[in-house]
């Protein structure tokens, strides 16, 4: 291991360093290391466990999982993935935006749909994700395996938020992402980039007064303990990306590449299903743990001033989003339009099926009523009654 690699991990525990050093050589080529930004029982951890299960069930390889904090912060695990010490990494475009500026498109507010089926259809079928993003990741030594949504992003703050004016002078923690900084400036807040490990303490001591995340993450990390209000603006859905080290991936046999791709797809399907109802379940747990917390869903009228900022943030994305920013944004919008049409078509088809079934039941009922009201035929030898 090089000096540079060693200094990258000076903050790690001795056990973690030993584990990495033992796994870094060719002798453990069948042991694949996978790090992610969340805990084992959070969404990224659930995806990783399913990925591991599929790989180990369909090959002789072992997958070692490293949840958040095991190997450092997000920047650390990305460096480790690019250097080949990790074979797989799960990281939000919020952090990879510095490497791949085009990926910041996921932080244009109100771009992604709020409808769950429409959102899932987009992530399943998006040409931008499947065709335009992979070459950009390759330039950074990464093979993009998939992207998936993790849940509606919500604000947690010390004071109630119903308009941009309520965010005036509020120091709001954001990831180190230029477009997210721009977005919260447009919302009226003072964006404050901080590593995740410092957020709870910063809220507790008043260094910052707000942060954003999906409900499951707010619940599991107990962010509600140090804030009093949760606000649902409907402005975004947290997105994450699973990547492999490119040199490692290219060196796999065709059979092993198929194992990786199949495991990624199986975990993708699993995680979309796993998240059904997760947001409301997490909010219920938060309310149970802290009954006096306020959970507010903004009305369309209240959301409008926030929605009005989307155009300026989008313009900023085109300025800072890299050479492919316009092409990415255009394709994203086309993909989203297709997803909306597909979801609408499915809903109409389901409604049609329900209507047909109801009409069939009604027809059967009418037929039954008709039979019941008819005069019974007399048995042989009996006289009709008058």
């Amino acid at each position: 291991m090089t000096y540079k690699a060693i200094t990258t991990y000076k903050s790690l525990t001795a056990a973690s360093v030993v584990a990495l050093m033992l796994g870094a050589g060719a002798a453990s080529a069948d042991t694949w290391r996978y790090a992610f930004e969340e805990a084992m029982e959070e969404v990224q951890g659930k995806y990783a466990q399913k990925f591991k299960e599929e790989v180990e069930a369909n090959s002789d390889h072992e997958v070692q999982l490293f949840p958040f904090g095991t190997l450092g912060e997000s920047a650390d695990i990305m460096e480790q993935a690019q250097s080949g010490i990790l074979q797989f990494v799960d990281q939000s475009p919020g952090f990879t935006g510095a490497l791949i500026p085009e990926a910041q498109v996921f932080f244009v507010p109100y771009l992604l749909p709020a409808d769950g089926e429409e959102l899932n259809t987009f992530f399943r079928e998006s040409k931008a994700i499947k065709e335009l993003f992979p070459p950009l990741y390759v330039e950074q030594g990464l093979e993009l395996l998939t992207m998936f949504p993790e849940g509606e992003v919500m604000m947690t703050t010390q004071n109630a938020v119903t308009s941009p004016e309520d965010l005036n002078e509020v120091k709001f923690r954001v990831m180190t992402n230029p477009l997210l900084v721009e977005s919260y400036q447009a919302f009226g807040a003072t964006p404050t980039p901080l590593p995740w490990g410092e957020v709870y303490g910063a809220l507790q001591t008043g260094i910052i007064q707000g942060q954003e995340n999906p409900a499951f993450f707010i619940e599991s990390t107990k962010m509600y303990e140090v804030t009093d209000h949760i606000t649902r603006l409907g402005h975004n859905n947290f997105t994450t990306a699973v990547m492999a080290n490119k040199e490692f991936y290219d060196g796999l046999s065709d059979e092993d590449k198929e194992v990786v791709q199949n495991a990624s797809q199986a975990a993708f399907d699993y995680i979309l299903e796993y998240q059904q109802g997760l947001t409301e379940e997490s909010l219920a747990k938060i309310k149970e743990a802290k009954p006096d917390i306020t959970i507010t869903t903004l009305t369309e009228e209240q959301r409008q001033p926030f929605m009005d900022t989307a155009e300026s943030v989008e313009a900023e994305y085109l300025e800072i989003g890299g050479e492919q920013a316009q092409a990415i944004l255009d394709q994203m919008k086309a993909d989203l339009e297709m997803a909306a049409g597909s979801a609408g078509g499915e809903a109409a088809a389901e409604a049609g099926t329900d209507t047909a079934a109801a009409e069939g039941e009604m027809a059967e009922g009418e037929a039954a009523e008709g039979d019941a009201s008819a005069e019974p035929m007399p048995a042989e030898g009996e006289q009709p009654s008058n």
Side-chain angles (χ1 to χ4, degrees):
M1 185 179 294
T2 65
Y3 175 79
K4 180 180 178 181
I6 292 173
T7 55
T8 301
Y9 314 119
K10 61 184 178 181
S11 64
L12 305 182
T13 64
S16 297
V17 173
V18 170
L20 284 171
M21 293 179 68
L22 289 175
S28 59
D30 291 335
T31 299
W32 298 345
R33 293 168 298 282
Y34 180 147
F36 45 98
E37 297 176 311
E38 297 170 6
M40 288 291 282
E41 296 307 306
E42 293 167 349
V43 171
Q44 289 184 20
K46 290 290 188 179
Y47 177 99
Q49 289 180 71
K50 182 63 175 178
F51 179 88
K52 170 184 170 71
E53 175 188 314
E54 292 291 325
V55 167
E56 294 180 352
N58 294 286
S59 74
D60 294 330
H61 304 304
E62 176 189 358
V63 179
Q64 293 180 343
L65 301 180
F66 296 91
F68 175 78
T70 312
L71 303 177
E73 290 275 355
S74 294
D76 299 318
I77 61 174
M78 177 53 74
E79 286 182 18
Q80 294 159 28
Q82 288 180 296
S83 69
I85 292 173
L86 290 172
Q87 281 70 52
F88 301 98
V89 65
D90 186 339
Q91 187 168 92
S92 163
F95 289 109
T96 54
L99 296 173
I100 305 168
E102 289 86 349
Q104 295 178 76
V105 70
F106 290 100
F107 294 92
V108 174
Y110 299 99
L111 179 63
L112 295 179
D115 178 78
E117 193 55 46
E118 190 176 327
L119 184 75
N120 290 349
T121 298
F122 165 74
F123 277 95
R124 285 193 188 98
E125 302 177 6
S126 170
K127 183 177 179 180
I129 292 175
K130 294 180 182 298
E131 298 180 19
L132 300 189
F133 273 114
L136 300 175
Y137 280 77
V138 167
E139 291 175 7
Q140 301 300 325
L142 301 163
E143 178 77 20
L144 178 63
L145 298 177
T146 193
M147 290 183 174
F148 61 88
E150 290 197 56
E152 174 193 347
V153 173
M154 305 174 190
M155 291 182 180
T156 65
T157 53
Q158 307 294 9
N159 297 310
V161 175
T162 58
S163 70
E165 287 73 24
D166 295 325
L167 289 172
N168 185 37
E169 296 187 358
V170 171
K171 292 181 180 178
F172 202 97
R173 182 266 176 177
V174 294
M175 290 180 282
T176 51
N177 178 290
L179 201 69
L180 193 56
V181 169
E182 176 69 21
S183 181
Y184 269 91
Q185 283 178 336
F187 282 175
T190 302
T192 307
L194 275 180
W196 178 250
E198 299 177 19
V199 175
Y200 187 99
L203 285 166
Q204 192 172 37
T205 57
I207 294 173
I208 57 174
Q209 293 85 47
Q211 65 89 43
E212 68 164 28
N213 261 300
F216 81 87
F217 202 67
I218 296 170
E219 187 268 323
S220 63
T221 58
K222 301 186 185 301
M223 286 296 119
Y224 59 85
E225 292 181 344
V226 287
T227 49
D228 295 323
H229 297 268
I230 295 176
T231 308
R232 303 175 73 167
L233 278 71
H235 66 296
N236 212 342
N237 196 293
F238 194 88
T239 298
T240 194
V242 181
M243 300 151 273
N245 172 273
K246 182 62 175 171
E247 185 176 353
F248 156 77
Y249 183 82
D250 288 346
L252 293 176
S253 66
D254 289 344
E255 182 180 0
D256 280 345
K257 285 179 182 176
E258 185 176 2
V259 167
V260 169
Q261 291 293 339
N262 289 345
S264 178
Q265 184 61 51
F268 175 88
D269 293 337
Y270 163 79
I271 208 61
L272 294 190
E273 182 177 351
Y274 170 79
Q275 291 182 70
Q276 297 299 313
L278 182 61
T279 292
E280 300 306 324
E281 179 184 328
S282 299
L283 289 175
K285 289 180 179 178
I286 291 170
K287 194 68 175 175
E288 182 180 0
K290 187 175 181 177
D292 61 342
I293 196 165
T294 301
I295 301 174
T296 304
T297 300
L298 298 192
T299 65
E300 287 301 311
E301 183 179 358
Q302 289 171 325
R303 288 181 182 185
Q304 193 59 52
F306 293 100
M307 296 176 72
D308 290 342
T309 68
E311 187 175 349
S312 66
V313 178
E314 184 177 301
E316 181 67 13
Y317 168 70
L318 294 177
E319 287 291 323
I320 68 175
E323 295 179 1
Q324 298 297 312
Q326 186 70 65
I328 291 284
L329 182 61
D330 290 345
Q331 187 59 57
M332 287 268 288
K333 289 183 175 180
D335 293 342
L336 289 162
E337 186 176 346
M338 176 213 64
S342 177
E346 289 177 7
E350 288 178 6
T353 301
D354 292 343
T355 300
E359 288 175 350
E361 290 174 2
M362 184 180 297
E364 289 178 6
E366 288 173 352
E369 287 177 8
D371 291 344
S373 61
E375 282 289 323
M377 292 296 292
E380 189 173 345
E382 290 184 358
Q383 295 296 316
S385 59
N386 295 320

